[in-house]
C-alpha cells in the first residue's frame, strides 16, 4: 500500500509539469506567430519584443533565436544579432538559416574569415543553397579588398584604399575598422570634412573608440588646429595607452607647435637668423602636415625677405602654395618679392589670383600697381639709359647726359673710327636713346607722366619729334666747347672750338 501511495504521489507531481511544458510551447508559438506578423509589417521593434517573449517561454528553441537574430539585423544591431544566431546553431547545428545569419552578422561586422566558416557550414548542410553560395563569394571579396587595402596603405596610395573600403563596406556596413581606415585615408588625402564625418558617426555610437578619437584628432592636426588635435590624441591614449599612431601624432603635434611658436617669437624679436633655423627644423618634423608646413614655408619666406634673400623667399612661398593653393598670404608675400625683384609679370599673376579669391579694395590696388609697373617695365628705362637713380636731381641728370652722349656719339673718332658699320649703327641708336631719355627726364611734366606710367605719345609728346643732334649741340656747341659736322649720312666727327 505504501508503494502504491508513493507511485501515486509521483504521478501527481509529473502530470502538471508535462501540462505546463505543453502550455508554454503553445504560448511561445503564439508569441512567435505574433512576432512574425510584426516582422512582415516591418515593425521590427514589436517583432523583437514578441520573439523575446517566445524565447523566455522556451529558451531552447533554435528558431526563436534565429528569428530574433533576423529582427536585430534589420534594426542594424549586428553584434546582438550575432549572439542570437550563434545560440541558435549551438542549440541546433543543422539549422541552415542560423548558420546563414551568423555568417551575415560576421560579414556585416567585418569578420569575413568567420563569415566564410559559417557559410561553408551552411553549404555542407545544403550545398545547393543559393544564398549561402552568394554570401560565401561576398565574404571572399571582402577578404580580397582587405588584402589590397593593406598593401596600398603601405604604398601610401590612399585613394585606392578608400576605394577598397567603400567596396568592402557594401558587404560590411557595420564594420568600424573599415570605416576608421577609410576615414584615416580621407584625412591623409586632405578630405577632412568627410573624414571627420565618419569618425564622428562612430564616436556617437561609441565615445570611447580610440581609433575614431585618433582620426578626429588627425583631421584637426592636418587643418592646423594643433592644440585641439593634441586633446583628441591624449583622449585616444587614455582609452588605448598603446595606440602607436596616436602616440606618434601626439608627439609630432607637440613638437610642431613648440617649434613654430619659438620661430614666431624669434621673428618678432627681430632675430631672423634664429627664426629661419627654427622654421626649418619645424618643416622637418612631419612632411604629411600640409597646411602647417605651408604656413611654415610662408613664415620662412617672410624671414628670407627680411634678410633680402628674395630668390629664397620666392622659392619658400612657391613651396607654400604648392602645398596649399588657397593660401592667400603666401601669394601676397611672393608677389611682393616679385615686385622687389622687378618680375612684374609674375607679380601680376599672383595678385590676379589673390583678387579673384578675395575682391577687396586693398587687393585691387595691389593688382593695379603691379599692372602699372609691368606696363612701365615694357617701355624704355630712361633712368637706366642715363645711368641715374629714379630720385636723381636735375644737375645729376644733366651730368649723366653729358657723359653718355659723349660716350655714344657716332662722330667720336677716338672710339668709333675703326668700328664696323654694325657697331657704329648700334652706337647711333644708343646716342639717340640718351637724347630721348634726357628729353623726358629733364622736363618735369614729361618726367611726371613717365613715372606714373602714362603714355608719352599723348597730348603732343610724340617722341618721334625730337632731334638728338640738336640736344647735343645745345650742350657742346659754341666757344670753348665741341662742335661737330656731318661727313656723311650718319657719320660725324668732332672738332675743338
Amino acid at each position: 500500500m505504501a508503494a502504491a501511495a508513493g507511485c501515486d504521489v509521483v504521478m501527481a507531481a509529473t502530470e502538471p509539469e508535462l501540462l505546463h511544458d505543453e502550455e508554454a510551447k503553445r504560448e511561445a508559438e503564439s508569441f512567435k506567430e505574433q512576432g512574425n506578423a510584426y516582422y512582415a509589417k516591418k515593425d521590427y521593434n514589436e517583432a523583437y519584443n514578441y520573439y523575446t517573449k517566445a524565447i523566455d517561454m522556451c529558451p531552447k528553441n533554435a528558431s526563436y533565436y534565429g528569428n530574433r537574430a533576423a529582427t536585430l539585423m534589420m534594426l542594424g544591431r549586428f553584434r546582438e544579432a550575432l549572439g542570437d544566431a550563434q545560440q541558435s546553431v549551438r542549440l541546433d547545428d543543422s539549422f541552415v538559416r542560423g548558420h546563414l545569419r551568423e555568417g551575415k552578422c560576421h560579414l556585416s561586422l567585418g569578420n569575413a574569415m568567420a563569415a566564410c566558416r559559417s557559410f561553408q557550414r551552411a553549404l555542407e548542410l545544403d550545398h545547393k543553397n543559393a544564398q549561402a553560395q552568394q554570401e560565401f563569394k561576398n565574404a571572399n571579396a571582402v577578404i580580397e579588398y582587405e588584402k589590397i587595402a593593406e598593401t596600398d596603405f603601405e604604398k601610401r596610395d590612399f585613394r585606392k584604399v578608400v576605394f577598397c573600403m567603400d567596396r568592402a563596406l557594401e558587404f560590411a556596413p557595420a564594420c568600424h575598422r573599415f570605416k576608421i581606415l577609410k576615414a584615416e585615408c580621407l584625412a591623409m588625402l586632405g578630405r577632412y570634412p568627410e573624414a571627420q564625418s565618419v569618425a564622428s558617426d562612430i564616436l556617437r555610437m561609441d565615445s570611447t573608440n580610440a581609433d575614431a578619437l585618433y582620426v578626429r584628432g588627425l583631421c584637426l592636426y592636418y587643418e592646423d588646429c594643433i592644440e585641439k588635435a593634441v586633446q583628441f590624441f591624449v583622449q585616444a591614449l587614455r582609452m588605448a595607452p598603446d595606440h602607436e599612431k596616436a602616440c606618434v601624432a601626439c608627439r609630432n603635434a607637440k613638437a610642431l607647435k613648440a617649434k613654430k611658436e619659438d620661430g614666431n617669437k624669434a621673428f618678432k624679436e627681430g632675430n631672423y637668423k634664429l627664426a629661419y633655423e627654427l622654421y626649418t627644423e619645424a618643416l622637418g618634423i612631419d612632411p604629411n602636415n600640409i597646411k602647417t608646413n605651408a604656413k611654415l614655408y610662408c613664415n620662412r619666406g617672410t624671414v628670407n625677405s627680411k634678410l633680402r634673400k628674395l630668390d629664397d623667399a620666392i622659392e619658400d612661398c612657391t613651396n607654400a602654395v604648392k602645398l596649399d593653393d588657397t593660401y592667400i598670404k603666401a601669394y601676397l608675400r611672393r608677389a611682393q618679392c616679385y615686385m622687389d625683384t622687378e618680375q612684374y609679370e609674375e607679380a601680376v599673376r599672383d595678385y590676379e589670383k589673390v583678387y579673384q579669391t578675395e575682391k577687396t579694395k586693398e587687393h585691387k590696388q595691389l593688382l593695379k600697381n603691379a599692372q602699372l609697373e609691368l606696363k612701365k617695365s615694357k617701355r624704355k628705362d630712361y633712368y637706366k639709359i642715363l645711368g641715374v637713380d629714379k630720385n636723381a636731381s636735375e644737375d645729376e641728370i644733366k651730368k649723366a647726359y653729358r657723359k653718355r652722349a659723349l660716350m655714344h656719339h657716332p662722330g667720336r673718332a677716338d672710339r668709333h673710327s675703326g668700328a664696323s658699320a654694325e657697331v657704329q649703327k648700334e652706337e647711333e641708336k644708343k646716342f639717340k636713346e640718351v637724347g630721348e631719355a634726357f628729353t623726358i627726364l629733364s622736363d618735369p611734366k614729361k618726367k611726371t607722366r613717365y613715372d606714373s606710367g602714362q603714355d608719352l605719345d599723348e597730348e603732343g609728346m610724340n617722341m618721334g619729334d625730337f632731334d638728338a643732334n640738336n640736344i647735343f649741340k645745345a650742350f657742346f656747341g659754341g666757344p670753348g666747347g665741341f662742335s661737330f659736322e656731318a661727313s656723311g649720312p650718319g657719320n660725324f666727327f668732332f672738332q675743338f672750338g
Side-chain angles (χ1 to χ4, degrees), residues 193-212:
E194 295 172 72
Q196 287 178 12
S197 177
V198 174
S200 296
D201 284 345
I202 292 172
L203 289 172
R204 274 192 288 272
M205 292 182 279
D206 178 11
S207 62
T208 65
N209 189 302
D211 291 325

Side-chain angles (χ1 to χ4, degrees), residues 221 233 237 244-256 285:
Y221 172 61
F233 294 144
L237 289 168
E244 186 178 347
K245 288 182 178 179
C247 185
V248 172
C250 191
R251 184 170 63 244
N252 285 344
K254 288 179 178 179
L256 203 53
I285 293 172

Side-chain angles (χ1 to χ4, degrees), residues 163-236:
F163 172 82
C164 288
M165 289 302 94
D166 279 337
R167 300 290 79 74
L169 284 164
E170 291 175 4
F171 304 116
C175 182
H176 286 181
R177 184 164 50 87
F178 293 169
K179 290 179 181 180
I180 288 295
L181 180 56
K182 175 185 174 180
E184 184 177 358
C185 290
L186 287 171
M188 299 301 283
L189 290 168
R191 294 160 62 178
Y192 307 121
E194 295 172 72
Q196 287 178 12
S197 177
V198 174
S200 296
D201 284 345
I202 292 172
L203 289 172
R204 274 192 288 272
M205 292 182 279
D206 178 11
S207 62
T208 65
N209 189 302
D211 291 325
L213 289 167
Y214 159 70
V215 170
R216 187 75 180 85
L218 196 65
C219 292
L220 291 165
Y221 172 61
Y222 285 150
E223 289 185 293
D224 198 41
C225 300
I226 295 180
E227 196 167 336
K228 286 184 180 179
V230 169
Q231 294 173 6
F232 276 93
F233 294 144
V234 169
Q235 195 175 349

Side-chain angles (χ1 to χ4, degrees), residues 154-174:
E154 291 177 4
K155 293 178 181 177
R156 301 183 65 80
D157 188 348
F158 301 120
R159 284 185 176 81
K160 188 77 173 291
V161 178
V162 170
F163 172 82
C164 288
M165 289 302 94
D166 279 337
R167 300 290 79 74
L169 284 164
E170 291 175 4
F171 304 116

Side-chain angles (χ1 to χ4, degrees), residues 58-121:
C58 288
K60 294 185 178 180
N61 187 304
S63 68
Y64 296 166
Y65 285 100
N67 286 4
R68 192 169 72 174
T71 302
L72 287 167
M73 289 167 69
M74 297 306 294
L75 290 168
R77 294 156 61 179
F78 292 99
R79 201 161 295 282
E80 295 172 71
L82 176 61
D84 275 352
Q86 288 174 325
Q87 179 62 12
S88 75
V89 296
R90 273 195 292 267
L91 292 169
D92 182 1
D93 186 52
S94 65
F95 186 26
V96 174
R97 287 186 182 178
H99 288 293
L100 284 171
R101 287 165 185 161
E102 181 186 3
K104 189 69 174 174
C105 289
H106 278 309
L107 185 56
S108 295
L109 292 165
N111 191 345
M113 291 296 291
C116 280
R117 289 193 291 270
S118 294
F119 297 137
Q120 280 177 323
R121 179 56 183 152

Side-chain angles (χ1 to χ4, degrees), residues 259-269 275 278-279 299:
K259 286 289 182 186
K260 184 181 176 185
E261 288 177 350
D262 288 346
N264 292 347
K265 182 181 177 184
F267 180 82
K268 288 176 182 177
E269 292 173 352
L278 288 166
Y279 288 141
N299 287 359

Side-chain angles (χ1 to χ4, degrees), residues 15 33 36 61 64 87 102 115 128 165 181 203 255 258 271 319 327 380 392 397 447 468:
E15 211 168 78
E33 292 301 326
N36 289 347
N61 187 304
Y64 296 166
Q87 179 62 12
E102 181 186 3
K128 291 183 179 181
M165 289 302 94
L181 180 56
L203 289 172
N271 192 342
N319 285 328
Y327 193 13
K380 293 176 182 176
I397 289 170
K447 184 176 183 296

Side-chain angles (χ1 to χ4, degrees), residues 384-387 400-409 434:
K384 187 175 182 180
I385 289 170
L386 287 183
Y401 171 74
R402 287 191 183 96
K403 179 181 177 181
R404 295 294 172 110
L406 285 173
M407 183 185 300
H408 297 297
H409 196 289
V434 168

